RNA sequence: GAUUGCGUAGCUCAGUCGGUAGAGCAGCCGGCUUUUAACCGGCAGGUCCUGGGUUCGAGUCCCAGCGCAAUCACCA
């Protein structure tokens, strides 16, 4: 601790009446480049964490950082008390100080608060990570996010963007007449999606419980109970693998509307994603018209309308033959070494082939709705009246990622049960355990949007761990 | 779960053919009143991820384990 301000001194400097009159960004805006501050120049009181410290002898420059950005403060020996100047020289990276003084500029034009006084608010005891590399080690960034947040400005910006997006989604859904609800995270049966659940248990009730894989079953019950339009923004938990676009817990917005159809939900999703992109494009120099936002090497254009293409058309373009041609589908599946191709049902082969030959044809630069999925692989979805082989379901793909599905819920209990059982016949036992039959029926339409993936796309984040504050890691 | 890569100072990284553990920044001491990765002089700083093995000698080669990353599988 040599050279550091003694703890007792730091504690003495901690003043409860701290008043932050203006944050760093406000002070900077006050000092418009063209504007010469009138005398007497306005005093600003600012506080922040020190991210630069240059001691020139009788003049000390520091940069303060808060959630809005960085601001320079200059402390001259002649401008402050002897004690304050000693403090200024002893400051370390990571310390939090408050200071007060007139806003001005340095000879080099840098906006700057010329300190008249300063106070240490919080002493940093641990050496911070590098001042210009930021924190680059992924493991440290995820495990010690609170360090990453101030050491890496982009991290702070990403999570501020996430808050804005979630807020926008909530306001958007409310403006469309949807009511926000909360449904159980711990469920006696994990239903609503074909996924492996986490198992937990309630001791007093001596009861096995599952962390939900989807809110679907409960949201539908709310429709049965008389709420016509509901949505929930909350976590789902799936006991599956982890990769760049999968975290064991993830946030989804799921919405249900009674008596709607899936084409109105398509328009709603299109507008929602578009508006979120417009919000993110604000004040961004790298955003183009549309708006177009960068995602890695791509520039995704969110201009309305989004691309619409049918499942069958994509399949046929990729495979070279119709998905209804059972012989060709089977031959192609065998040729491409689809797992268990000999045993699987025709439509499960179509589904597998679609992923191989169809999905790659989707333009990653344009949000794309893939519509009219085969009924046989969507057992809970209402078939189209004009062609019952197809159903009222779409999925939206952006930059090669599946962001969310929507479908019209089947409301005939007998047909549903029959198709469900039928589909299970083509699936191995372990997986079928976790497909739970839905017992509540009402005509409705559903949409689910993966919030994490949407945030990834709109903030140009390559990994889902970059948009989740505390992603799951193994114990170190 | 499988494959591949990575793990060296607080941070970012070098480390050659197996031969005394290195740099920049951060830290400490000194100097400097307009710096923008400030600069100048000096000092200090190591469980080379962990455990075995080969060798006269291992950061380096071999085996096992742990963690992270990418790809694949599962899934959204």
């Amino acid at each position: 601790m040599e050279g550091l301000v003694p703890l007792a001194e730091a504690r003495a400097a901690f003043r409860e009446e701290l008043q932050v009159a203006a944050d760093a960004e406000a002070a900077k805006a006050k000092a418009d480049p063209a504007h010469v501050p009138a005398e007497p120049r306005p005093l600003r009181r600012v506080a922040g964490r020190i991210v630069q410290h240059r001691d020139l002898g009788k003049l000390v420059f520091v940069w303060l950082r808060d959630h809005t950005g960085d601001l320079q403060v200059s402390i001259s020996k002649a401008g402050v008390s002897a004690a304050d100047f000693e403090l200024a020289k002893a400051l370390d990276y990571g310390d939090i100080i408050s200071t007060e003084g007139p806003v001005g500029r340095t000879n080099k034009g840098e906006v700057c608060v010329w300190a008249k006084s300063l106070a240490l608010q919080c002493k940093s005891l641990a050496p911070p990570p590098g001042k210009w590399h930021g924190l680059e080690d992924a493991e440290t960034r995820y495990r010690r996010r609170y360090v990453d947040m101030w050491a890496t400005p982009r991290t702070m910006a990403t999570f501020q963007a996430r808050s804005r997006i979630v807020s926008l989604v909530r306001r958007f859904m409310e403006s469309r007449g949807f009511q926000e609800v909360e449904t159980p995270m711990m469920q006696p049966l994990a239903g609503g999606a074909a996924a492996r659940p986490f198992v937990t248990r309630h001791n007093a009730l001596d009861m096995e419980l599952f962390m939900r894989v989807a809110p679907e079953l409960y949201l539908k019950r709310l429709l049965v109970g008389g709420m016509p339009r509901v949505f929930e923004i909350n976590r789902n938990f799936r006991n599956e693998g982890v990769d760049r676009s999968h975290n064991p817990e993830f946030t989804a917005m799921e919405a249900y509307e009674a008596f709607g159809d899936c084409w109105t939900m398509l328009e709603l999703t299109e507008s929602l994603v578009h508006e979120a992109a417009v919000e993110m494009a604000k004040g961004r120099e790298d955003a183009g018209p549309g708006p177009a936002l960068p995602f890695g090497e791509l520039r995704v254009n969110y201009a309305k309308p989004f691309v619409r293409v049918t499942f069958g058309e994509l399949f046929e373009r990729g495979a070279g033959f119709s998905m209804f041609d059972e012989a060709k589908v089977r031959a192609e599946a065998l040729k491409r070494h689809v797992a268990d191709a000999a045993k699987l049902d025709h439509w499960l082969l179509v589904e597998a082939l679609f992923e191989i030959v169809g999905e790659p044809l989707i333009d990653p630069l344009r949000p794309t709705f893939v519509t009219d999925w085969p009924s046989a692989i969507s057992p809970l979805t209402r078939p189209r009246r004009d062609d019952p082989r197809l159903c009222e379901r779409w999925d939206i793909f952006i930059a090669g990622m599946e962001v969310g599905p929507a479908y019209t819920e089947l409301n005939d209990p007998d047909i549903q049960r029959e198709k469900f059982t039928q589909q299970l016949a083509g699936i191995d036992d372990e997986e079928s355990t976790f497909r739970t039959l839905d017992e509540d029926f009402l005509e409705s339409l559903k949409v689910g949007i993966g919030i994490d993936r949407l945030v990834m796309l709109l903030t140009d984040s390559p990994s889902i761990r970059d948009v989740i504050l505390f992603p799951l890691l193994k114990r170190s």
Side-chain angles (χ1 to χ4, degrees):
Chain A
M1 289 302 118
E2 252 185 323
L4 296 178
V5 175
L7 264 183
E9 199 175 316
R11 190 170 295 122
F14 206 108
R15 293 188 291 151
E16 288 183 7
E17 78 281 16
L18 169 67
Q19 34 148 349
V20 182
D23 59 33
E25 193 59 35
K28 209 163 192 167
K30 213 64 175 171
D32 181 344
H35 179 72
V36 180
E39 296 293 343
R41 288 182 295 177
L43 291 180
R44 303 301 302 199
R45 185 168 170 78
V46 295
R49 193 184 289 272
I50 292 173
V51 293
Q52 285 286 5
H53 181 254
R54 300 193 187 101
D55 178 357
L56 272 63
K58 297 191 179 66
L59 180 65
V60 178
F61 294 99
V62 297
W63 283 3
L64 298 190
R65 175 172 297 167
D66 72 2
H67 65 290
T68 63
D70 297 348
L71 176 70
Q72 181 168 273
V73 174
S74 306
I75 306 110
S76 77
K77 189 172 185 181
V80 298
S81 70
D84 279 1
F85 193 67
E86 281 311 302
L87 172 62
K89 290 178 83 77
L91 290 170
D92 287 304
Y93 291 84
D95 292 350
I96 293 176
I97 64 166
S98 62
T99 182
E100 191 174 52
V103 177
R105 288 177 181 283
T106 66
N107 292 349
K108 301 284 174 63
E110 183 77 26
V111 174
C112 177
V113 170
W114 294 97
K116 294 175 87 85
S117 66
L118 68 156
L120 183 65
Q121 299 295 344
C122 186
K123 182 65 201 169
S124 171
L125 297 180
K131 61 180 179 181
W132 63 75
H133 290 106
L135 192 50
E136 294 191 349
D137 179 64
E139 184 171 357
T140 311
R141 289 185 53 222
Y142 302 147
R143 288 194 197 279
R144 306 183 63 208
R145 182 70 90 185
Y146 47 95
V147 176
D148 182 37
M149 284 171 69
W150 70 264
T152 316
R154 189 191 154 88
T155 299
M156 181 67 87
T158 296
F159 286 105
Q160 287 178 329
R162 180 176 178 129
S163 290
R164 278 159 64 207
I165 291 167
V166 171
S167 172
L168 180 142
V169 170
R170 183 167 277 123
R171 279 181 282 120
F172 181 93
M173 293 307 291
E174 285 172 349
S175 76
R176 295 288 184 115
F178 286 80
Q179 187 173 4
E180 183 169 10
V181 297
E182 291 167 281
T183 61
M185 313 286 274
M186 295 191 294
Q187 307 176 345
L189 277 176
R196 210 166 290 190
F198 288 94
V199 186
T200 185
R201 85 174 265 100
H202 189 290
N203 289 336
L205 297 182
D206 187 23
M207 183 180 177
E208 188 177 56
L209 288 169
F210 300 95
M211 304 300 289
R212 76 175 187 192
V213 295
E216 170 155 343
L217 268 43
Y218 289 91
L219 292 178
K220 281 165 87 171
R221 287 169 193 167
L222 296 179
L223 298 201
V224 173
M227 286 181 168
R229 283 191 287 274
V230 296
F231 76 100
E232 177 165 8
I233 300 175
N234 226 324
R235 225 65 65 77
N236 293 330
F237 306 87
R238 298 192 183 175
N239 210 338
E240 308 283 355
V242 174
D243 65 30
R244 283 210 284 183
S245 55
H246 298 263
N247 194 62
E249 52 178 309
F250 66 100
T251 302
M253 191 284 286
E254 289 210 17
Y256 276 80
E257 179 175 8
F259 308 116
D261 73 42
C262 82
W263 311 119
T264 59
M265 219 40 132
L266 187 145
E267 185 281 326
L268 177 143
T269 302
E270 183 179 65
S271 294
L272 173 55
V273 172
H274 174 77
E275 283 188 26
V278 168
E279 172 69 19
M280 286 301 108
K282 279 182 191 164
R284 260 177 81 162
E285 288 155 16
D286 56 354
L293 293 171
F295 184 68
E297 302 297 306
L298 308 173
R299 285 182 69 80
V300 180
N301 189 328
Y302 292 90
K304 290 204 288 185
F306 294 171
V307 176
R308 292 147 166 80
V309 61
T310 67
F311 181 100
E313 185 189 334
L314 267 182
F315 183 96
E316 195 156 341
R317 263 200 278 152
F321 51 86
S322 163
M323 65 181 177
F324 297 109
D325 190 328
E326 299 204 11
K328 284 187 176 168
V329 164
R330 187 159 298 274
E332 187 71 12
L334 287 168
K335 194 175 123 195
R336 290 183 182 269
H337 304 104
V338 171
D340 300 320
K343 291 191 290 180
L344 287 182
D345 162 76
H346 167 70
W347 287 106
L348 289 173
L349 293 179
V350 168
E351 188 176 25
L353 281 179
F354 177 78
E355 282 175 22
I356 300 168
V357 303
E359 281 189 22
L361 296 180
I362 300 170
D363 182 0
L365 305 183
R366 294 281 293 131
T368 300
F369 292 103
V370 177
T371 65
D372 299 298
W373 288 61
S375 295
I377 57 177
S378 313
L380 306 182
T381 307
R382 188 175 69 189
R384 288 184 67 116
R385 292 191 173 87
D386 54 350
D387 185 350
R389 295 175 304 177
L390 307 175
C391 67
E392 298 190 4
R393 164 186 172 186
W394 53 255
D395 281 58
I396 179 169
F397 292 83
I398 308 176
M401 254 195 305
E402 192 180 356
V403 176
Y407 20 80
T408 308
E409 298 286 338
L410 189 73
N411 65 335
D412 182 323
D414 295 328
I415 293 180
Q416 177 172 323
R417 184 176 294 276
E418 181 192 328
K419 298 186 80 166
F420 194 87
T421 312
Q422 226 171 50
Q423 191 199 31
L424 288 187
I427 293 173
D428 66 272
D429 290 341
E430 190 179 26
E431 191 180 354
S432 67
T433 310
F434 301 105
R435 291 193 184 233
T436 309
L437 184 58
D438 183 7
E439 302 285 0
D440 299 292
F441 310 102
L442 179 77
E443 179 163 334
S444 60
L445 64 113
K446 167 250 170 111
V447 66
I449 295 178
I451 296 294
D452 309 285
R453 289 181 178 182
L454 184 61
V455 174
M456 284 171 67
L457 288 162
L458 297 180
T459 59
D460 191 15
S461 298
S463 168
I464 199 167
R465 297 183 198 95
D466 294 326
V467 300
I468 292 175
L469 281 167
F470 300 102
L472 185 68
L473 298 180
K474 287 192 186 178
R475 301 173 70 133
S476 53

